[in-house]
Structure formats: structure tokens, C-alpha cells
Amino acid sequence: MGKQKQVAIIGAGVSGLLACKYALEKGFNPIVFEAEDAIGGVWAHTSESTRLQNHKESYQFTDFPWPSSVNDTYPSGSQTLEYFECYAQHFGIFPCIRFNSKVIGIDYIGESCEEIESWELWGGTGKPFGSQGKWHIKVQNTKSCTIEVYKAEFVVLCIGQFSGLPNIPEFPPGKGPEVFKGKVMHSMDYAKMDNRIAREFIKGKRVTVIGSRKSAADIAAECANINGAEHPCTIIQRTAHWFVSNEPLDRLILGFLYLSRFSEFMAHKPGEPLLLSILATLLSPLGWALSKITEGYLRWRFPLKKYRMLPKRSFRQCFSQCQLVVLPDKFYDRVEEGSIIIKNSPSIYFSEKGLITEGDNQRIDTDIVILATGYKGHQKLRNIFESPVFQEWILGSPTSVLPLYRQILHPRIPQLGVIGYADGLTGLLCSEMKSQWLMQFLDSKIDLPCVRDMGKEATMWGDHIKQASGEYSRRSCISSSNTWYHDQLCKDMGCNPRRKNGFLTDLFVPYEPTDYAGLVPKPGSPNTL
């Protein structure tokens, strides 16, 4: 059956590579559409100073370790991209990829939306290929601009949140980039520059970066390394977030206090039984105390108050919102020497020679403004559907979280899966777990509940994410329930979710990709499910 089914995968970032690898293992016929001329997604274009936020042992494939030649604990962007390329080469993924192929629309042709709404089971039968329709995928060649329509029985969206559609702030009339005499660009366009060209672009220039997360910090560090205190880089942030360094002690604190199974006992989880709910209530004061201890440690480690970078939210809250940032090397050394200047302002606007910060009404003279203001990932996901009904279904209301069963399947949209959208601090592992789950489902190894119950599960997780993430709920952050989520996927696949040897080890030592190696036996092995 598998060889007769065409599985279209949109995006050749890490999620697309994983989906393709496991589709090949199951005997399906995958085709991957990638708009760029290289794999890697956001890692295909990074600034020179960008490094992994995770240490490499926690950011690797379960069955493909980092090469011994990579000695850095936090590999660079180029090292990470090379690692992905080796993975794709090893598992024969490259022949499946159509580069320079931008998907500009997908449309489900078959049953009507009215008929789909009447289904009690997903896809009409509860099976992966139960409906009679097919997806029509409109693909534009980015070089020739020609358009071709492909057909597939199943579509996997691996387009992620952090690329493609930049979030450009709105400014009052006469106070936007149009009045500024210098250069204005989004961090996405800066990252696409060749490293040599980027260095020449900012060399000897006054650069201002608008933003407060990883991209802003990386670009500011790169500017500081090039220009020093003679031409300092200014960061303007609206909201301060908690920063951690890539030092081993910071890594241990984050891992053992926030990424272990025990740490999740301190917070409520979606679908938890009564005993765990009572335990979470009893342990919540401990979670609050650990957060305060962590904040005190970080205030001691970094001059947060001195440079007005002390967040208003608790550390635990920022963690639950996926708002933590790992600092570039020697970031505060650059601040101390004057190579990086940090300013806080609730809003800004442009003038002819620079930027005006609201509140103190000060002008910042600058030559280049880089907007590290994020992306409209939810809008990009919506726009890929041609059907207005499907567009409404995939996003829900303006305040809702992406309504996905197991963070993978929409209860109403047939023959489609989403990988790599939900955010967390274990992004690669989470995408690999989802890819294995999805391909097990496509191989008829997982049974789905009815549409009503799928919707209830999606709503339950959505409510949990909104409570934990607040205004950042659109990011679908599941970092505070990451192990709990992986447990659900393991149980669905008939695997033991307890992956470590020993009760205390399983309870207190953070889970890493190697713990999930060999989770599902490969087809043809003696223990195949």
C-alpha cells in the first residue's frame, strides 16, 4: 500500500527531513518541495554569530549523532547545516527533494466542506487514506516562475513559524521607514546575506537592532565584533526576557530544574489524572521558589538591573512561554566595553536621521535599522490553503491556539499533518517524535478517536497553552509539558514512555534524543509492531 501513496512534504527544514526519512522507511513515495536551493530551513541562512541555543547532545537525531569532528558544545550555524546535510545524504533524502519549488497554494479536491463537516470520524473513516479526495499542490519554480500542479494522497506541512513571512511593525503616517534616509531591513533579509557581504554592509556603520530575542542578540554581537565601541550597535527592546549563557552551570540549572520529568510535576498538564493534579498543586510553591532562586542567580551572574534588562515576568513564566534566550559568547563584555548599547522603549518611530524612542523622546542617530521583530507564522500557515473554509479551520479564532490533535492532525482537515509548528526547547526531538507518530498512523498502526474527541483533546491542549503562555499562545509553546507530551505519543505508538534505567534517573535527569533511539522498530525487523 505504502508504495502506491504519494506523500507530499512542504519544506526541507529539519521537520521536512525527518518526515521524509520516516516516510521512506515505511515504503511511501515522498516528495519534498523546498522554496530555497538548500535544505535546513532557518539554518540555511543565519548570521555569522548564530549558534545553537541547545547543547548538541540535546539537539541531535536519535539515530544519527553529531560527527566527532564537531567539538563545540554549541555548534555554529554552518556546522549545524553540515550536520543536516550529512543526515539527508545518509538516509537518501536528497533524491526526494525538489529545490527552488515554492508551494503557493494547496487545495483539497474531493468531498465538499459540508460533507467533511458531517463526518464523525477523521477523513470519514478514521483511516489515513479513507477519503476519496486528493490534495492539489500548486508549485512555482522560483527560477523560471513557471507553475505546476502536483497531486498527493497526503500532505505534511513542515513550514515552521520562524521564516517566510516577516512581522513588520506598523508605524503612524509620516513616522515609518519611508522618512528615514538610511537602510531598513528585516533580520530575515540580513541573515540571507553572504557572511562576507554582511560584514561589509555593517562595517563602520551605526546599526540599530529592534528586538529582544535571539536574532536581535546575535546580530548585535556580530556588529559589536566588527565595529567595536567606535561604532556601537544599539538594541531597542520593548520587553525584556530572561537570558541564560551557554556555560555548563547554566545548562545544568535549566536542564535539571526545568527540563526533567520531576520539574513537570510542579505544573498542571493537559489530561492529567487526579493524583497528578493534586501533586502539581502541592508542588507549585516549590516551582515558584525554584524560579526565584534561578532569577537571583541570573541577577548575580549578569548586570541585568544596571542595563535595564531585568524582566518583569518570572523565569518560570518565560520558560513556559518559550521566551528564554541563550546569549552569544561574551555578550555582556561587549555591553560593558560600549560596543553594544541597550535601550528600552514601549514604542519607537522613525525620523530622517534615525529613531525616536517614546517616553524620553530621544533621537538615536543611525545608518542601518534591522528589524528583529519575528514572523507571522500563523498567517503563513493560513495563507497556504486556497479554501477559505480550511483557512478558518486551521487557525480558529484570533485568540485560539492552533487546534491540532496531538499537535499534528486537524480534526476536520483530511489527509494532512503539521510537523514543526508547536514551539519548545527540544525542537528537533519533538519534530522527530511527531514524524514517527505520523508515519505510524499512515501505516495504520495508530487508531484515532472520533472527530468530537479529537477536537476535545485539541481544545484541552489549547487551553493549557493559553494559560501557560498568555499573549504568546499563538506560538503553541509546550516546553512546560514536553516530556508529558512525548509520553502521549509513545503510548499511542505502543512504546514504553519511561526510557531511562532507574526510577531516580527517569525522574530527575533530563530526557535527550538518545533516550528515544530505536523507539519504533524498522520495518522488517523481528520486533516490528
Side-chain angles (χ1 to χ4, degrees):
M1 179 190 72
K3 293 181 180 178
Q4 300 173 355
K5 301 298 183 182
Q6 179 83 66
V7 177
I9 300 167
I10 302 176
V14 63
S15 298
L17 299 180
L18 285 161
C20 184
K21 183 256 190 182
Y22 285 104
L24 287 170
E25 277 191 3
K26 289 296 183 182
F28 293 106
N29 181 25
I31 180 172
V32 184
F33 298 108
E34 171 54 50
E36 304 289 338
D37 57 2
I39 66 169
V42 295
W43 289 102
H45 303 288
T46 59
S47 58
E48 196 169 13
S49 60
T50 299
R51 290 184 172 273
L52 272 180
Q53 290 210 113
N54 309 65
H55 63 91
K56 64 182 179 183
E57 287 78 11
S58 69
Y59 194 88
Q60 65 178 351
F61 301 102
T62 61
D63 54 0
F64 194 78
W66 284 85
S68 57
S69 58
V70 179
N71 298 316
D72 296 331
T73 303
Y74 296 87
S76 66
S78 60
Q79 288 173 319
T80 304
L81 186 58
E82 288 175 9
Y83 175 53
F84 294 160
E85 290 170 346
C86 290
Y87 179 83
Q89 189 69 43
H90 180 79
F91 289 106
I93 297 172
F94 276 114
C96 302
I97 304 175
R98 303 291 182 269
F99 290 107
N100 302 303
S101 299
K102 181 179 181 180
V103 175
I104 57 177
I106 61 174
D107 199 19
Y108 180 76
I109 306 298
E111 294 89 350
S112 66
C113 293
E114 291 78 11
E115 186 175 355
I116 293 173
E117 281 193 284
S118 70
W119 289 343
E120 295 184 0
L121 296 175
W122 191 85
T125 64
K127 303 299 180 184
F129 304 103
S131 56
Q132 300 300 312
K134 283 191 176 184
W135 285 97
H136 289 215
I137 306 158
K138 191 179 296 183
V139 181
Q140 183 182 54
N141 185 294
T142 57
K143 291 187 174 181
S144 65
C145 294
T146 57
I147 295 176
E148 188 173 354
V149 177
Y150 293 79
K151 296 180 182 180
E153 282 84 3
F154 203 95
V155 167
V156 186
L157 295 179
C158 300
I159 55 179
Q161 295 191 52
F162 307 112
S163 65
L165 189 60
N167 178 41
I168 306 297
E170 295 184 1
F171 297 92
K175 295 184 178 182
E178 70 278 359
V179 303
F180 178 52
K181 299 300 184 182
K183 300 281 187 181
V184 181
M185 66 168 54
H186 192 269
S187 57
M188 177 183 74
D189 299 311
Y190 176 78
K192 287 182 178 180
M193 287 184 174
D194 177 81
N195 287 334
R196 181 185 60 81
I197 296 175
R199 284 194 295 271
E200 290 299 318
F201 178 69
I202 63 178
K203 187 175 181 180
K205 304 289 198 315
R206 296 167 299 177
V207 179
T208 300
V209 182
I210 300 175
S212 57
R213 300 192 72 248
K214 179 171 173 55
S215 294
D218 283 347
I219 294 171
E222 189 166 318
C223 292
N225 290 337
I226 294 171
N227 290 329
E230 184 180 356
H231 298 287
C233 177
T234 301
I235 294 180
I236 300 178
Q237 60 177 12
R238 184 180 64 179
T239 304
H241 301 294
W242 286 104
F243 285 78
V244 295
S245 76
N246 55 16
E247 296 295 327
L249 183 58
D250 285 18
R251 191 174 77 203
L252 284 172
I253 290 174
L254 185 62
F256 284 94
L257 297 186
Y258 297 94
L259 294 174
S260 67
R261 187 181 292 278
F262 178 75
S263 69
E264 293 190 6
F265 287 157
M266 303 179 208
H268 290 284
K269 297 166 288 298
E272 63 188 0
L274 178 61
L275 183 61
L276 286 183
S277 179
I278 294 173
L279 184 62
T281 300
L282 293 175
L283 290 178
S284 59
L286 176 60
W288 176 87
L290 291 176
S291 180
K292 291 302 178 185
I293 291 171
T294 306
E295 292 165 24
Y297 165 74
L298 292 174
R299 284 197 297 268
W300 170 76
R301 282 272 282 121
F302 306 120
L304 301 177
K305 189 174 182 179
K306 178 179 179 181
Y307 294 107
R308 297 190 298 168
M309 292 189 70
L310 193 62
K312 295 181 180 179
R313 296 179 176 86
S314 70
F315 184 89
R316 192 169 189 85
Q317 188 176 11
C318 279
F319 171 79
S320 299
Q321 296 172 336
C322 291
Q323 295 297 308
L324 294 184
V325 179
V326 176
L327 285 171
D329 291 339
K330 300 180 179 179
F331 179 84
Y332 278 107
D333 291 346
R334 299 288 180 262
V335 176
E336 292 279 5
E337 72 185 20
S339 298
I340 296 176
I341 298 173
I342 300 170
K343 289 185 174 292
N344 296 275
S345 179
S347 62
I348 57 172
Y349 58 90
F350 283 85
S351 67
E352 184 176 318
K353 294 184 178 181
L355 294 162
I356 307 296
T357 56
E358 188 179 88
D360 55 14
N361 204 36
Q362 289 186 353
R363 191 181 78 188
I364 302 172
D365 292 337
T366 189
D367 303 305
I368 299 171
V369 175
I370 300 178
L371 304 172
T373 47
Y375 297 85
K376 296 180 178 179
H378 60 285
Q379 192 68 36
K380 181 179 66 170
L381 185 65
R382 178 187 185 276
N383 291 347
I384 204 167
F385 292 92
E386 295 190 356
S387 164
V389 176
F390 281 20
Q391 288 180 348
E392 182 179 348
W393 283 351
I394 196 66
L395 282 190
S397 70
T399 59
S400 68
V401 179
L402 199 66
L404 299 179
Y405 174 76
R406 294 294 193 252
Q407 305 299 312
I408 301 170
L409 300 178
H410 191 282
R412 286 291 178 196
I413 301 178
Q415 296 171 211
L416 178 130
V418 180
I419 303 290
Y421 187 88
D423 198 8
L425 297 182
T426 58
L428 189 153
L429 175 59
C430 196
S431 290
E432 184 157 8
M433 295 288 287
K434 289 180 185 179
S435 296
Q436 291 197 63
W437 187 97
L438 181 59
M439 294 309 156
Q440 284 288 98
F441 169 62
L442 264 57
D443 199 31
S444 301
K445 297 294 195 302
I446 294 175
D447 294 324
L448 298 180
C450 65
V451 168
R452 182 182 65 254
D453 289 343
M454 290 176 70
K456 286 181 179 179
E457 195 262 5
T459 300
M460 177 181 66
W461 271 88
D463 291 342
H464 165 74
I465 290 170
K466 282 196 288 187
Q467 184 175 7
S469 302
E471 63 185 283
Y472 300 103
S473 60
R474 276 290 195 185
R475 295 187 60 170
S476 297
C477 178
I478 59 173
S479 63
S480 62
S481 302
N482 207 75
T483 304
W484 176 256
Y485 171 68
H486 289 165
D487 287 351
Q488 312 308 309
L489 299 186
C490 285
K491 292 174 183 177
D492 288 349
M493 293 186 282
C495 306
N496 183 2
R498 303 283 176 157
R499 310 299 302 172
K500 291 182 178 291
N501 294 323
F503 174 77
L504 293 178
T505 303
D506 183 78
L507 196 60
F508 293 106
V509 178
Y511 268 76
E512 294 190 343
T514 51
D515 294 313
Y516 294 94
L519 185 66
V520 177
K522 296 181 180 180
S525 66
N527 296 321
T528 301
L529 292 176

